[in-house]
Amino acid sequence: SIWEEVIGKEQIGIKDNFFELGGHSLKGIQIVSRIKKEFGVKLELKELFIAPVLEDVASKISIIQWAKKSETPGAIIIKKDTITL
């Protein structure tokens, strides 16, 4: 729904590409801002450029959320800022 609202198109699918839908850097900034607000996950704009398919972005959000929940003091399960899909 974030992509639909920001890009202004309905029925965006999981396999859709941000740029093929008309996305650009300003819309990308809006998307990563909304992701942080709604999911508590900070993504860099460059990550949207590297993996512009919605499915890849959703997977990365899920992995980061899982890693946050799995953290225990003194243990690093996954380094959140190095996930590449």
Side-chain angles (χ1 to χ4, degrees):
S1 67
I2 292 172
W3 282 35
E4 290 176 348
E5 292 170 17
V6 172
I7 294 173
K9 293 189 179 187
E10 294 181 10
Q11 299 182 350
I12 293 177
I14 196 80
K15 300 286 186 187
D16 285 333
N17 182 299
F18 175 72
F19 299 106
E20 291 173 2
L21 294 169
H24 51 73
S25 59
L26 295 177
K27 289 184 180 195
I29 291 169
Q30 291 175 333
I31 286 177
V32 297
S33 175
R34 293 275 304 273
I35 289 171
K36 181 167 174 45
K37 180 180 177 184
E38 292 189 32
F39 298 104
V41 171
K42 183 180 179 199
L43 296 179
E44 300 290 331
L45 180 60
K46 68 180 179 180
E47 295 175 85
L48 188 57
F49 280 78
I50 293 168
V53 175
L54 180 54
E55 182 176 39
D56 296 335
V57 176
S59 293
K60 188 162 190 167
I61 291 168
S62 294
I63 291 167
I64 292 170
Q65 287 178 325
W66 172 82
K68 283 181 172 183
K69 290 178 186 177
S70 300
E71 287 181 346
T72 57
I76 298 176
I77 294 173
I78 191 166
K79 191 171 180 182
K80 291 184 220 94
D81 59 347
T82 60
I83 300 169
T84 303
L85 299 174

